[in-house]
Structure formats: structure tokens, C-alpha cells
Amino acid sequence: MLHDRVLVRTDIEEGERRSSGGIVIPATAAVGRRLAWAEVVAVGQNVRTVEPGDRVLFDPEDRAEVEVRGTAYVLMRERDLHAVASERLQGSEDSTGLYL
């Protein structure tokens, strides 16, 4: 990975989904703009806020997909990340681990 690039593996499952109430939502249903969670796989040398293994929130509309050894990944700049959920808690005991 070069510069400020971040390679992530998305959690998005294509196809129909199920709501929390049990309603099936078909894949063809129009959904408003939603952010998606993904796991960081690799980072460039200039990335400062995330590490491999962190979960990040990003806009799936602004993505560049790449396939490596049969697995689909998303490549983006660090500045395109909206939030980081990390096990590396910094600060006090009541910290949530979410950094926006």
C-alpha cells in the first residue's frame, strides 16, 4: 500500500436483507444513502489513524473496488473514512472505542 491509502474488506452482503422486525427487504429495493462498515486489511505508510484489524465507516458510493486473489476489497484514501471503531481504547475507562 502506498501513501495514505487504506484497503478494506466490506461487511456488505449483496442480495436481500432482513430488517430487525423480520421483514425481508429485496436487493432491488431503493435504499437511501447509507454508510457501510468494513474491516481494515492493509494501510499505507502515511496512514496515522487506523491499523489493520480496525473497523471503519465509509461511504460505499465513493469507492474503488479491487480484486486480490479472488477476494473483493475497497481501496480508498484515509480522509474518506468517516469513523473508526477500534479495540485500542485511548483515554479513560468509559471510552466507547469510536472515533469520529
Side-chain angles (χ1 to χ4, degrees):
M1 300 296 302
L2 297 174
H3 309 294
D4 65 340
R5 302 292 196 255
V6 178
L7 187 69
V8 299
R9 180 178 31 239
T10 60
D11 297 341
I12 300 172
E13 296 179 10
E14 300 298 328
E16 62 185 35
R17 303 179 319 270
R18 212 173 264 287
S19 72
S20 60
I23 298 171
V24 175
I25 303 169
T28 58
V31 178
R33 186 172 168 152
R34 292 182 77 163
L35 299 177
W37 287 100
E39 179 185 352
V40 176
V41 177
V43 297
Q45 68 267 21
N46 295 337
V47 174
R48 298 178 301 182
T49 57
V50 295
E51 295 177 359
D54 290 347
R55 290 180 43 83
V56 294
L57 190 65
F58 72 101
D59 185 357
E61 306 260 334
D62 301 328
R63 65 181 183 180
E65 293 184 10
V66 63
E67 188 172 320
V68 178
R69 297 183 183 150
T71 305
Y73 296 100
V74 176
L75 182 63
M76 67 185 72
R77 290 179 179 260
E78 182 182 21
R79 68 178 180 216
D80 294 333
L81 300 176
H82 294 276
V84 179
S86 173
E87 294 295 324
R88 299 175 281 113
L89 299 178
Q90 297 178 2
S92 65
E93 293 290 324
D94 60 341
S95 177
T96 63
L98 290 174
Y99 302 97
L100 300 176

